[in-house]
Each structure stands twice: as structure tokens, then as C-alpha cells.
Amino acid sequence: MLQFKNGDKSCEFDKNEIILHDVIKSLGLDNKKIIAAKFNGELMDLSRCVNSGGEVEAVSADSPEGLEILRHSTAHLMAQAILRLYPGSHFGVGPAIKDGFYYDVDAAGTITENDLPKIEAEMRKIAGAGEKVSREDMPKDEALKFFAEDPYKTELISEIDAPTVSVYKQGEYADLCRGPHVPDASKIHNFKLLSIAGAYWRGSEKNKMLTRIYGTAFANPDELKAYIKMLEEAKLRDHRKLGKDLDLFSLHEEGPGFPFFHPKGMAVMNTLIDFWRREHNKRGYTEIKTPQILDRELWIRSGHWDHYRENMYFTEIDEKPYAIKPMNCPGSILVYKTQLRSYRDLPMRLTELGCVHRHERSGVLHGLMRVRCFTQDDAHTYIEPTKIKEEVTAIMELDKYFYTNVFGFKYSVELSTRPEDSMGTDEQWEAAENALKDALESTNTPYTINPGDGAFYGPKIDFHLEDCIGRTWQCGTIQLDFQMPGRFGVTYIGEDGAEHTPVMIHRVVFGSVERFMGILIEHYAGAFPYWLAPVQVKIIPIADNHVDYAKKLQETFFNWGLRVEVDTRSEKLGKKIRDAQLQKVPYMLVVGDKEQAENKVGVRERSKGDLGSMTLDEFKNVLDNEFNPLKSR
């Protein structure tokens, strides 16, 4: 007798084994959206047989777990379609990812983006036929024979430390996979193939380049339509295109992953940094600067050598090994240790706009979002253990001011716990994780747990910003570190006159200034708010005889602290205005005979249009009413 429960529902079968779909049906949980099941907490196919009773849950395609299964199954559907269209193709890995899926294909032929509609059509044909999906647990040696012609699957199977492997089949296609999957392809309706990229097998440049095909799938058509619309909007906001159009930065083959900032881009970056410095000075932070290159022994002592060296660059000076810094924390510690510190000196908040270098594979580089060199807006705070909650709360308030009050982002918070590759004792990690939980819960901050994704030296709180088209970006982080101070012998003299080890908090707000700037470009679609715009005012003389007056105005506005340009080109007025609009300048001032005679300006605002003629004092009043976090308050 097998007994099953779901909440207050139950059923029983006079059998030794039964498939989960029959259990779901008997519990009254079956409907068209159900694509998998949970048995005693484990995700399984609906067709799986169980030989003991327990808790059973239905997994719907529109649930987070169900959506991941749906997308993974759509990747398999795509692979089957490719195999039909390109017989002899082999497949690498094809996981579900955030917002979709991909599959790496060693295609028997060339697949381009022009071929995606053809592959999609074949996928719909297979789905319409309701191709069944089945699972088979094969002995490892049998699986090696089954996939003997596939070098990718045989490589993966040979590395699996288990007597059996699971294989999923649908029609002529089979894959090595843990599952679970949809029961048949008819469950897959709302999907779209999106793009193609190159990807080295297993991420190594020593291996063959495969074709990576990206796609997405949703449980209902409206969600798919909304996602496709968001992608179209994202293309219009692509910071790489806008960066070029607005003359902010450029990327060059001579320095892949190392962006070049132009004068207008530097105006935006320097304004961000001015704002950052102002707010940190007000909150008791003091700024330092540490070297780019430091002795390799320092990185061994900090733990980066054991946990991070594959992301670091190295060099030699006088036959001695050095590392180019990927992080600023060891340098901050050396500054702290230059003097004997007392509990009266704590909290000591040391900030650094440090230029760091990290090795990234060429295939993942992406504009300003993924680079090899960036400015990290670090702070390392040294505190007494009893002050953790107070300090973390203050940092969270700073983050909220930056993200919501100034830049208008919504955000969510995530607590990442101990990873497998970590330093320290269980007791230290438990204390650190509980301290961060206490700070979050005492401020009624909603958060989710991200198990195992903490830094190697401590747990962290991450801030995920949501931009105006619904995408999320991980930016700020607060990392609690009980490890590094002890490894470096960092101490302070306590109130009791004895030496104590402080807790170290690593935190960033922007994260990478360059990446944050890229996020802002896309968030604002290049139309930066007035205070941040690279050119705040464009003066447009109607004719050549108005240029001198325009330049006098420019000097006045410079003295007001504005970033201002004069368009001295011999072009028609309409073209000058259109060009200024395309450059997304907040204010355009048209000056002709009348304005020159009356010492006025004709004001146009980029979204409101013509605001009429104004005296300089009237225009200054308009600007003074603009939001500007750099103004005194």
C-alpha cells in the first residue's frame, strides 16, 4: 500500500509502485499547466515511478521551478530541430539560464541568425506532433557506447563518478541530462530563438569554438510578448551604441576589455565621482590611494592566491613576482596597520576609487558591463564586533539614498551565504551570517537567501537594481569579513587596554564606476538627468553675427558651474536644434537679433520643447529648480 499527501489531501494505492502523474491526478492537482512533480522535495518527471509513499506537489509551468524546467525542455526541443535540419550535429551543454536558455552546438554546417526562423518552425512542428520525452538510467559503460560518436557527451560521461547516468530521449534526439523535463513537446508553446554567439567548449580557448544559440520560453504568450518588447527596447538603449553616438567612450582592438573614455564620458564619470565623494565625506569616510602592483606574497597572505588567482594578472620586477591588484582590500589593510589604533578610532572608514584589473575571457567582454579594468568604489570599514548591526544599517541607508532617492531605481536585496571554497571556521561563518540577518530584519528589509554564493572570506548582502524596462543589475554589496584581519594581524586597543581583532566590512555602492555608468546610459536611454548630463546647455546662434554673444553667454554659464557648448557651425537652425536633441542635451538656448539686443535667451527643453524667451536670471531660476544632488543642502 502506497500513501501520498498534499497538504490536507491524501490518496493511496494498492500497488508496489506508481507513476507520479497518477498520484497528481488522484490528489486532484492535475491541469494543463502541470509539467513535473515534487516527491518528498525532489523535482521529478511526471512519468517517474516511485515505490514508497510521501509528500507530492504538482509543479506548474508558470512557477519558478516549472519555468526553469520548461526552458530546459525547450533547449532540448531546439536541439532535436537542429538535428533534423543539420544531421550529424553534436551538442555541448544546453542549460536553462535567467530569462531563457542556450545550447552549444557543433553544427554539421553553418548556422547563422538568418537560420533561426527555420529552426523555430521545425521546433513548432515537433511540438505540434507532441513528441514524447522519456528518461532512461543507463550504466555508465553502456552510455559511453550509446554516445560513442559524440565527443562532448563521452567526455562528460567519463568524468561522472557514478555507476549510472540519466539519458533523455525524444524522437531521434538523446541527451545526457539530470532532468526533469516536460512529459511531451506539446507542453511547449511560447518560445523564441534570440541570437547566436561563439563559445569555446567548456570555456577554454584551447578547445573548439561551438555555436551558442540563445532563446527564451514562457508559460503564457503575454509574458513572451512583453519580454520580446523589452528586448527591442533594450536594443535601442544599448550603451555601446549610445556610447558611440553620444561620444562618451570607445572600444578598440588594441585594448580588448579596456574602454577609452572621451571628454564627454569623463564629464559623466567625474560628476558621478564628485557626487560619490561628497556623500562619503558627509558620512565620515576618508579616502586613500594604494598601488596598482603589489608583492605576490601579499596576495598569498590575503587568500586571493588560493581562491582568485585565475582572475589575476602577474608580472616581475627585479626578478621578484608581483600581482596587479584585482581588489583594493589588502592595500587598505596595509594603510590601517601604519599606526597603532584604539577603539576610539573605530569605526575607521577608508574609501578608495581603486583601478583594478581582472582577467576575463574575450568571449564574455561586453562594453562597460564586463571589462578587464575598472574603477571600484571601495570602502573598507574596521569596526568593533559589537557594532556590526549599526554599521551595516548605516551602509544600507547610504545605498538606499544613492539608488532610490538620486537615481530612481527600485531594488531587491539578497543575502549570500558560505560557499564551498571558503576560509574560516563554522562558528565564524555562523556569527557573520547571523549578524547580516539581524541588520536586515531589524530594518524590516525584505531579502532572499542565495545559498553558497558568499565571498570566500565572508557572507554578503547584494543589491539588485531594477531599471526602467524591468532588467536587474547587481551593483552594491556589503561583505562581512572575520578572516582577513586575523590573517594580517590587524588589531586595535580596546577599552580594556588589551589587543582585539576588528571586523572588516568590504562594501561598494556603484560596484564598478564604469559599469554603473553603462547601466545609467541604458536606464536613461542616454538622456541623463540635468545634473549628470555631459553637456547641460547647448547655445545655438542663429547666424554668424550672433556667435560672439553666444560665447559671452558661455563664459557666464561656465562661471555658474555649467557644462556648456556653443554650436558655431554654419548650419540651418533646424538642423542645429535636431542635432542637439539627438545628443540629448537638456537645454538648448537659441540666440538671434532679439535675444542679443535684450540680453535674453530662447529656451528649449529636450522633452518639453520651447519654453519661450527668458532673461538670464529667469533661466538661472529654471536651472536652480532642477534636481541636483551636488547642490548644498
Side-chain angles (χ1 to χ4, degrees), residues 77 80-81 84-85 117-131 172 185-186 188-189 191:
L77 176 64
Q80 185 183 4
R84 285 188 177 183
L85 296 170
K118 177 176 67 174
I119 298 170
E120 259 189 43
E122 190 65 30
M123 291 169 68
R124 296 190 192 284
K125 182 179 174 182
I126 296 168
E131 190 80 71
E172 63 272 52
S186 70
I188 304 170
H189 306 285
F191 58 85

Side-chain angles (χ1 to χ4, degrees), residues 2-15:
L2 300 177
Q3 296 181 327
F4 300 92
K5 293 191 301 179
N6 176 271
D8 58 356
K9 297 179 180 179
S10 65
C11 64
E12 59 182 37
F13 298 87
D14 189 15
K15 296 181 177 182

Side-chain angles (χ1 to χ4, degrees), residues 5 11 13 70 92 118 123 178 242 368 495 501 572:
K5 293 191 301 179
C11 64
F13 298 87
L70 181 70
K118 177 176 67 174
M123 291 169 68
R178 285 194 299 266
L242 288 170
L368 301 180
E495 198 168 358
T501 301
K572 291 183 178 179

Side-chain angles (χ1 to χ4, degrees), residues 233-461:
E233 180 65 25
K235 283 184 180 178
L236 298 175
R237 295 168 177 267
D238 189 324
H239 75 285
R240 294 167 298 177
K241 181 180 184 302
L242 288 170
K244 181 179 179 181
D245 293 345
L246 300 178
D247 196 24
L248 300 173
F249 67 91
S250 57
L251 304 167
H252 300 273
E253 291 182 1
E254 292 83 353
F258 302 97
F260 291 67
F261 283 88
H262 300 192
K264 289 180 181 178
M266 285 306 300
V268 177
M269 180 173 285
N270 286 334
T271 304
L272 286 172
I273 288 172
D274 288 346
F275 165 66
W276 182 92
R277 280 200 172 106
R278 173 192 171 95
E279 294 304 320
H280 283 74
N281 288 340
K282 285 171 15 182
R283 290 168 172 81
Y285 289 85
T286 53
E287 191 172 348
I288 62 172
K289 182 176 176 61
T290 63
Q292 292 291 109
I293 301 174
L294 293 165
D295 191 328
R296 189 177 69 184
E297 285 298 317
L298 179 74
W299 304 100
I300 292 172
R301 201 179 347 156
S302 70
H304 289 90
W305 177 258
D306 291 330
H307 301 273
Y308 204 75
R309 68 174 176 268
E310 68 275 8
N311 299 103
M312 297 171 67
Y313 296 109
F314 299 94
T315 188
E316 279 193 2
I317 302 173
D318 296 335
E319 299 182 354
K320 187 175 182 180
Y322 285 78
I324 301 170
K325 68 176 178 180
M327 298 179 186
N328 299 307
C329 34
S332 171
I333 287 174
L334 295 182
V335 172
Y336 178 96
K337 290 190 67 178
T338 57
Q339 295 181 33
L340 182 65
R341 310 292 180 179
S342 158
Y343 72 94
R344 292 189 177 90
D345 299 318
L346 305 185
M348 178 172 283
R349 305 180 182 100
L350 300 179
T351 67
E352 179 171 12
L353 290 158
C355 180
V356 298
H357 290 73
R358 298 179 183 178
H359 176 64
E360 298 282 4
R361 295 188 186 95
S362 57
V364 302
L365 299 175
H366 181 74
L368 301 180
M369 305 302 195
R370 196 74 177 265
V371 295
R372 289 171 169 158
C373 172
F374 59 91
T375 308
Q376 194 171 44
D377 67 316
D378 255 332
H380 297 96
T381 300
Y382 304 86
I383 60 172
E384 297 173 83
T386 57
K387 301 295 177 66
I388 291 174
K389 177 175 152 184
E390 180 182 335
E391 190 66 23
V392 171
T393 299
I395 296 170
M396 289 166 58
E397 289 172 354
L398 171 66
D399 288 332
K400 182 179 180 181
Y401 175 70
F402 269 62
Y403 300 148
T404 302
N405 296 28
V406 174
F407 296 107
F409 289 109
K410 296 177 183 176
Y411 65 87
S412 58
V413 177
E414 188 176 69
L415 173 61
S416 297
T417 58
R418 185 177 189 175
E420 289 184 14
D421 182 23
S422 62
M423 302 189 308
T425 65
D426 292 344
E427 292 76 16
Q428 287 173 323
W429 275 87
E430 184 178 3
E433 288 174 8
N434 287 338
L436 292 183
K437 285 179 184 176
D438 189 23
L440 288 164
E441 291 167 4
S442 67
T443 55
N444 297 314
T445 302
Y447 69 95
T448 56
I449 299 286
N450 184 11
D453 200 42
F456 67 83
Y457 46 73
K460 60 178 181 169
I461 295 172

Side-chain angles (χ1 to χ4, degrees), residues 18 50 110 164 186 209 325 351 444 468 489 536 572 585 588:
I18 191 164
V50 294
T110 302
T164 62
S186 70
M209 174 74 78
K325 68 176 178 180
T351 67
N444 297 314
C468 64
Q536 296 169 301
K572 291 183 178 179
V585 178
M588 292 145 275

Side-chain angles (χ1 to χ4, degrees), residues 532-566:
L532 193 54
V535 177
Q536 296 169 301
V537 175
K538 174 86 79 170
I539 305 172
I540 304 174
I542 293 175
D544 289 348
N545 60 311
H546 306 126
V547 170
D548 287 344
Y549 176 58
K551 289 187 174 179
K552 287 180 182 176
L553 290 174
Q554 182 183 34
E555 186 176 344
T556 298
F557 297 151
F558 276 147
N559 291 333
W560 290 0
L562 300 181
R563 295 183 290 277
V564 56
E565 288 183 351
V566 178

